[in-house]
Amino acid sequence: MMHTTLKGPVLFHGKKPKVREKRDSTQNIDPLTSQEISKIDHLGDGEINDKLLQMLEDINVTSEVGRQHILGQTIEEKKRLLKNWILRDHHSASNQAGPSSPEEYVEELKRQNVGEQITDQQDQVIEKLRVSLSTNGLSWVKKFGEHN
């Protein structure tokens, strides 16, 4: 069996593949989110663990094995997880046109006065709410329930 060694750049369909630059996930973050992320570095071990438990509840991690695995991470890894959790919430809220918080949905539904006949605009709001209820964390869903 002969082995062939490739020389030069690898070509796909006769072209060099484009290399994507790694995006900075902290770009375009509002000052409050940036401040919340910065605070993570100044928390003590107990506060980090408390926030992690809150995060685990929010993302519905209920198994003791899953909780122990995450709580057993190094303090730096725990901080990274918390920062990513904050960024995820920021990005999901900022990438959505229209209402994004539970309060905004309640106000929008009240404003639109949803009745028996649903307009296309009302249908869009209801569909976005359905997606938000199924993709946001448990704390988001609880807030929505409290405002209803």
Side-chain angles (χ1 to χ4, degrees):
M1 182 189 284
M2 287 183 62
H3 293 283
T4 308
T5 304
L6 296 174
K7 293 181 181 179
V10 176
L11 302 178
F12 295 96
H13 303 289
K15 298 179 182 177
K16 280 177 84 171
K18 292 182 180 179
V19 177
R20 278 198 216 174
E21 290 183 26
K22 189 174 181 180
R23 291 188 311 172
D24 181 4
S25 61
T26 59
Q27 241 176 351
N28 302 322
I29 293 180
D30 63 88
L32 289 175
T33 302
S34 182
Q35 187 178 24
E36 191 176 350
I37 290 170
S38 295
K39 285 181 183 178
I40 297 294
D41 288 324
H42 305 289
L43 296 176
D45 291 2
E47 293 169 306
I48 294 283
N49 286 334
D50 289 345
K51 284 207 172 283
L52 272 175
L53 289 171
Q54 180 185 357
M55 178 191 83
L56 292 172
E57 180 181 323
D58 196 46
I59 61 176
N60 207 20
V61 173
T62 56
S63 79
E64 195 57 35
V65 173
R67 288 175 178 269
Q68 290 308 314
H69 173 73
I70 291 179
L71 291 173
Q73 299 292 317
T74 66
I75 196 70
E76 290 306 313
E77 183 62 19
K78 290 175 184 179
K79 287 178 181 181
R80 189 187 66 75
L81 289 169
L82 287 171
K83 289 175 183 180
N84 285 337
W85 179 48
I86 294 166
L87 284 172
R88 177 196 63 107
D89 283 350
H90 166 77
H91 288 303
S92 65
S94 65
N95 289 336
Q96 186 176 23
S100 60
S101 72
E103 299 84 1
E104 290 172 352
Y105 273 104
V106 170
E107 289 305 313
E108 182 66 19
L109 291 170
K110 284 179 184 176
R111 188 183 67 73
Q112 294 212 8
N113 195 20
V114 176
E116 286 185 34
Q117 294 286 21
I118 296 177
T119 66
D120 287 342
Q121 185 179 11
Q122 291 168 334
D123 188 49
Q124 288 175 356
V125 171
I126 292 168
E127 178 60 19
K128 287 179 183 177
L129 173 59
R130 182 193 67 76
V131 171
S132 290
L133 286 168
S134 59
T135 58
N136 282 308
L138 193 57
S139 62
W140 194 98
V141 175
K142 285 180 180 177
K143 278 184 192 173
F144 180 78
E146 291 167 2
H147 281 46
N148 234 342

